[in-house]
Amino acid sequence: MTSVAIRLKELEEDELEEFIELWCDRVGSGYVSVERIGKANDKGRDVIGFLTQAKHEGPWHLYQCKRKTRGSALGVPEALGELGKVFHHHSEGAYRTMPEKHVFVAPRGVTGPLQDLTFNPSDLKAALIAKWDDHCAGYITQRRRIALTPELRALIEGYDFGNVSHLGATGLAKHPASLKALTQVLGLAPGDAPVGTAPATLQAEEMAYIDQLRQVYGEARGTPFATADDVLADGMHGDHLREQRNRFFDATSFRLFHRDNTSVEALVEFEAEVHHGVVDVYRLPYESRLERVGAVMRHASTMTCAIKGKLARIPVRQGMCHHLANEGLMKWTP
């Protein structure tokens, strides 16, 4: 995590905003949409998480990305200026409600005085009012100084500054919602997908390849199986089918994990790699279809298929072959 945190500190401003946009997509705060604004005239908004379709007329969370220069932490003057900017633009009608959560994303951290203020919300409120002329009036816009009007003062006094917090590089690196952003922005190899196991009962999503294997087992036995449950009850082929189901669902878990945490494009590339790796073995002549299944499974176990540089587990590579069969790309029966 230390090396990841160091790399987060080196992100450029647009990379940091992209990271937080991806992070918000996964953070689990119930956002109906995430918007990245982060440009000139952003009115204090870099990344926004809207909690309802009402958007700025309802509850929302604000993430202000503060990269800062090398070795520099976010301090009180800039933080107060950014807070003042949000209150000003709210008073001007840019957004009808104030953010329910206001997070300073500062990979290089915050200074001790700013941390003390965020840990003592009433002190932060008092500091914003007391230091408005010093840190806000000339900061909000270059066109004119913004005075602390009675309206602005009332908005500040009525706001819950317990909503204001900060998030540093270490916190981002440790957060489970960061995985997709770490792979896409930093190019890090993803972690291991959770192991998937087959449910006790047959599922609709697996029935295409299961029915193909039912025919394969019937051919090997010399008499057809009427149902997949009959195969599972068979002393010779039941355990083999159970192994294939576990492989299929391990590959399903792998698919879901990388769809959500890596990228759809990387997953498509991986599945194509598996297909190209086994299809020539699949096309060889065999004495039986069951022999073909076994040959493909053995070959899949030896391949070095990886996603973002991370080698996939053997059952995943094998189970992906059943997904190919399930989707009609490499069927076990005609």
Side-chain angles (χ1 to χ4, degrees), residues 216-291:
V216 168
Y217 294 130
E219 178 189 78
R221 187 178 69 162
T223 56
F225 287 98
T227 67
D229 287 327
D230 290 339
V231 179
L232 290 169
D234 184 74
M236 180 174 292
H237 300 295
D239 285 342
H240 189 269
L241 179 55
R242 276 183 278 273
E243 290 169 2
Q244 308 319 305
R245 293 191 67 228
N246 279 327
R247 290 167 177 170
F248 177 86
F249 281 100
D250 202 9
T252 298
S253 176
F254 181 92
R255 273 180 150 184
L256 293 173
F257 175 82
H258 287 287
R259 181 200 66 188
D260 293 341
N261 296 295
T262 306
S263 70
V264 173
E265 293 77 14
L267 182 59
V268 169
E269 183 179 339
F270 171 79
E271 293 177 2
E273 187 178 356
V274 172
H275 184 219
H276 288 298
V278 300
V279 71
D280 287 335
V281 174
Y282 169 83
R283 288 173 177 155
L284 292 173
Y286 297 96
E287 292 185 2
S288 71
R289 293 170 183 168
L290 186 56
E291 186 180 338

Side-chain angles (χ1 to χ4, degrees), residues 36-77:
R36 175 184 171 193
I37 299 179
K39 56 186 177 183
N41 198 33
D42 60 15
K43 297 180 172 63
R45 300 161 298 175
D46 290 329
V47 180
I48 300 166
F50 290 116
L51 279 79
T52 70
Q53 294 293 351
K55 299 185 179 178
H56 271 321
E57 295 180 354
W60 57 288
H61 293 171
L62 171 62
Y63 298 88
Q64 287 187 316
C65 300
K66 294 299 171 186
R67 173 182 178 270
K68 300 301 291 179
T69 56
R70 184 179 297 275
S72 176
L74 177 64
V76 171

Side-chain angles (χ1 to χ4, degrees), residues 197-220:
T197 56
T201 58
L202 296 170
Q203 305 296 301
E205 66 188 277
E206 61 176 326
M207 291 313 298
Y209 90 93
I210 287 287
D211 194 61
Q212 294 168 35
L213 288 179
R214 177 187 63 79
Q215 298 174 55
V216 168
Y217 294 130
E219 178 189 78

Side-chain angles (χ1 to χ4, degrees), residues 64-300:
Q64 287 187 316
C65 300
K66 294 299 171 186
R67 173 182 178 270
K68 300 301 291 179
T69 56
R70 184 179 297 275
S72 176
L74 177 64
V76 171
E78 185 173 0
L80 293 182
E82 291 295 337
L83 285 169
K85 187 183 294 186
V86 173
F87 280 100
H88 166 72
H89 288 296
H90 168 57
S91 71
E92 293 287 298
Y95 22 94
R96 303 292 177 82
T97 58
M98 285 289 290
E100 288 191 348
K101 179 188 291 186
H102 185 140
V103 182
F104 288 112
V105 182
R108 295 187 178 279
V110 300
T111 62
L114 178 56
Q115 178 173 275
D116 289 342
L117 287 177
T118 59
F119 287 171
N120 295 277
S122 61
D123 291 345
L124 180 58
K125 177 185 296 188
L128 181 58
I129 293 172
K131 297 294 184 180
W132 183 276
D133 287 344
D134 295 333
H135 303 315
C136 301
Y139 180 90
I140 294 170
T141 175
Q142 295 180 348
R143 296 190 298 272
R144 60 189 175 94
R145 287 181 64 82
I146 304 298
L148 180 61
T149 63
E151 179 189 6
L152 280 169
R153 188 183 186 104
L155 286 173
I156 294 170
E157 290 177 341
Y159 187 68
D160 181 1
F161 280 79
N163 296 333
V164 181
S165 62
H166 54 84
L167 184 61
T170 302
L172 281 173
K174 290 180 177 179
H175 202 288
S178 293
L179 187 53
K180 186 172 186 177
L182 291 172
T183 59
Q184 292 198 16
V185 179
L186 295 187
L188 300 182
D192 290 321
V195 175
T197 56
T201 58
L202 296 170
Q203 305 296 301
E205 66 188 277
E206 61 176 326
M207 291 313 298
Y209 90 93
I210 287 287
D211 194 61
Q212 294 168 35
L213 288 179
R214 177 187 63 79
Q215 298 174 55
V216 168
Y217 294 130
E219 178 189 78
R221 187 178 69 162
T223 56
F225 287 98
T227 67
D229 287 327
D230 290 339
V231 179
L232 290 169
D234 184 74
M236 180 174 292
H237 300 295
D239 285 342
H240 189 269
L241 179 55
R242 276 183 278 273
E243 290 169 2
Q244 308 319 305
R245 293 191 67 228
N246 279 327
R247 290 167 177 170
F248 177 86
F249 281 100
D250 202 9
T252 298
S253 176
F254 181 92
R255 273 180 150 184
L256 293 173
F257 175 82
H258 287 287
R259 181 200 66 188
D260 293 341
N261 296 295
T262 306
S263 70
V264 173
E265 293 77 14
L267 182 59
V268 169
E269 183 179 339
F270 171 79
E271 293 177 2
E273 187 178 356
V274 172
H275 184 219
H276 288 298
V278 300
V279 71
D280 287 335
V281 174
Y282 169 83
R283 288 173 177 155
L284 292 173
Y286 297 96
E287 292 185 2
S288 71
R289 293 170 183 168
L290 186 56
E291 186 180 338
R292 170 182 281 123
V293 173
V296 170
M297 292 295 109
R298 287 190 297 274
H299 187 72

